[in-house]
Amino acid sequence: MISKLARKYNFSQAALKLMESYLSNRQQAVAYGGKTSSFIKIAKGVPQGSILGPLLFAMYIDDLPQQLHMVKVHLYADDVQIYLSCDKTVINNCAIQFNLELSAIKQWADANGLTLNPSKCKCLIISKRPVDMESVPDILIGNEKIELVESAKNLGIVFNSSLTFDNHIRATLGKVYGMLRCLWASQSFTPQHVRLLLAKTYLIPVLLYGCELFANMDSINKQKMNVLYNNIARYVFDRKRSDSISDYAKQISGMTFSNLLDFKSLIALHKIITTGQPPYLHEHVQFSQSSRTKQLKPILHKSLVSERHFFVNTIRLWNTLPLDIQKIRSTSLFKQQLAIKFS
């Protein structure tokens, strides 16, 4: 590992010696039930649970994208995602290219002393129309087949083959309702300010995690999420099912649930615009040529599902904002002014 990092980053000899002393001659043992195993030397890898571990690992594998030529790749810790877009009529050729790239990944992993686990790998085909899974050639790592799935979790978000996010919303609703039921058990002897704090730190973040991706969801899913949001407000403000809840629900975030979804989407877009990060998202943001406006060019789309996607929906929202808000560069000031507009 040290020699590879030295070649890639041109570290000084002093830095290399410091890192070598940190990584070399380490031992580990297992303690269980009051007993400890004998120590063995660690021949490779980074110390588990260390602060430097994730950084060193990220540095060690960051040349992986250079081995790939036909796909786009995202790295997050030890999670690697590769993408390839093609017309449905040439999906067989796409599978062949995909397998070539997977072969390159395996060769790179073998050369770097890393082990791939095909049983934990998933292949998700995203298409406007259903794809006959039986007709798709096997996707392989070495000689092991990767499972073709209709939905897969990616950093806590469940993506399905049509990008409707129905699976994710359904799973989120179940999880938050379960959490809410647990809190209801102690509602009568929990002060209101504590219930509000629990809602803001324990329930709402789970409900809205990744909502920028599905904020423009269909009316059925939005109604289900709005009902849950109202039930959270009933828990916080001790309201019965028959009581009007709209004004109370608004007090949780200072705006309606629908406006809250738009608020979070616009905050995400503002960060992409002002920071230029990540580049693969920023490249989709283009301003109109007029010097008197900060309007964004709408994203062309053909289907209702596409209309609900982040850029199509959020760029439309952006273009309805007053010019003085669009021009704000500060994230905190943008949030403040946007909250006033949506309150």
Side-chain angles (χ1 to χ4, degrees):
M1 182 176 191
I2 295 297
S3 60
K4 182 176 180 180
L5 293 177
R7 291 194 303 270
K8 289 170 60 176
Y9 297 104
N10 195 28
F11 288 153
S12 67
Q13 286 300 311
L16 288 175
K17 287 182 179 179
L18 176 64
M19 196 58 60
E20 184 175 12
S21 68
Y22 174 68
L23 294 174
S24 301
N25 300 318
R26 301 191 73 99
Q27 296 182 331
Q28 68 179 18
V30 176
Y32 179 76
K35 296 182 179 180
T36 303
S37 69
S38 57
F39 282 82
I40 61 171
K41 273 193 171 185
I42 303 175
K44 61 183 68 173
V46 295
Q48 296 296 301
S50 64
I51 294 175
L52 279 178
L55 175 61
L56 290 173
F57 182 79
M59 293 169 66
Y60 188 70
I61 69 168
D62 75 349
D63 63 333
L64 172 57
Q66 300 169 19
Q67 319 303 316
L68 308 175
H69 308 290
M70 294 176 285
V71 297
K72 293 183 178 180
V73 57
H74 288 163
L75 301 177
Y76 185 84
D78 62 346
D79 185 62
V80 180
Q81 301 166 27
I82 60 175
Y83 310 82
L84 187 58
S85 177
C86 71
D87 190 273
K88 186 178 176 181
T89 58
V90 294
I91 193 169
N92 284 18
N93 291 335
C94 182
I96 293 173
Q97 293 177 335
F98 210 78
N99 280 330
L100 289 173
E101 296 289 62
L102 287 174
S103 178
I105 291 176
K106 188 175 187 310
Q107 291 177 18
W108 172 89
D110 291 342
N112 285 276
L114 300 172
T115 302
L116 303 177
N117 189 347
S119 66
K120 290 187 176 181
C121 299
K122 308 294 180 186
C123 179
L124 175 65
I125 298 176
I126 299 173
S127 175
K128 294 178 182 177
R129 298 177 181 84
V131 174
D132 179 11
M133 296 290 195
E134 298 296 328
S135 66
V136 179
D138 291 344
I139 306 299
L140 306 169
I141 292 182
N143 295 321
E144 296 190 53
K145 181 180 176 180
I146 295 180
E147 180 184 6
L148 283 174
V149 296
E150 295 188 358
S151 65
K153 184 175 286 190
N154 176 16
L155 300 180
I157 303 291
V158 181
F159 289 77
N160 60 22
S161 57
S162 58
L163 284 186
T164 59
F165 295 100
D166 291 345
N167 308 63
H168 177 78
I169 293 171
R170 185 164 54 248
T172 297
L173 291 172
K175 183 175 183 179
V176 178
Y177 268 121
M179 297 162 67
L180 185 57
R181 281 193 293 270
C182 292
L183 291 177
W184 267 111
S186 59
Q187 192 257 6
S188 60
F189 51 85
T190 305
Q192 181 176 300
H193 73 279
V194 175
R195 297 198 300 267
L196 180 59
L197 182 62
L198 287 170
K200 287 184 174 182
T201 60
Y202 185 54
L203 299 174
I204 303 300
V206 177
L207 179 65
L208 296 182
Y209 178 73
C211 69
E212 297 84 354
L213 294 173
F214 52 87
N216 194 29
M217 69 194 87
D218 63 77
S219 58
I220 295 175
N221 280 322
K222 181 171 284 189
Q223 175 63 16
K224 290 178 179 178
M225 294 196 77
N226 193 50
V227 167
L228 176 51
Y229 193 77
N230 288 342
N231 284 330
I232 293 173
R234 287 192 169 88
Y235 159 75
V236 171
F237 298 105
D238 194 19
R239 298 292 96 186
K240 297 178 181 179
R241 186 178 295 274
S242 58
D243 294 338
S244 175
I245 199 63
S246 299
D247 290 340
Y248 291 99
K250 191 175 178 180
Q251 292 181 43
I252 294 178
S253 61
M255 60 189 74
T256 65
F257 180 70
S258 181
N259 282 351
L260 181 58
L261 293 173
D262 293 344
F263 174 81
K264 291 185 72 65
S265 297
L266 285 166
I267 294 299
L269 181 60
H270 180 265
K271 289 180 179 178
I272 293 171
I273 292 171
T274 55
T275 66
Q277 298 294 326
Y280 64 86
L281 293 182
H282 187 258
E283 67 184 17
H284 294 286
V285 178
Q286 296 182 11
F287 285 97
S288 63
Q289 295 181 351
S290 173
S291 59
R292 295 177 297 175
T293 180
K294 294 287 285 184
Q295 298 280 293
L296 294 173
K297 291 183 179 180
I299 302 293
L300 299 178
H301 60 282
K302 297 181 180 179
S303 67
L304 180 59
V305 171
S306 297
E307 183 178 336
R308 295 190 175 122
H309 290 170
F310 172 77
F311 278 114
V312 175
N313 174 53
T314 313
I315 286 176
R316 185 188 299 119
L317 291 173
W318 178 274
N319 288 339
T320 65
L321 293 176
L323 184 59
D324 59 330
I325 295 181
Q326 292 180 355
K327 288 183 175 180
I328 297 174
R329 297 288 297 179
S330 166
T331 300
S332 59
L333 182 58
F334 182 80
K335 286 182 179 179
Q336 178 184 340
Q337 294 302 309
L338 198 60
I340 294 172
K341 173 178 170 55
F342 283 153
S343 62

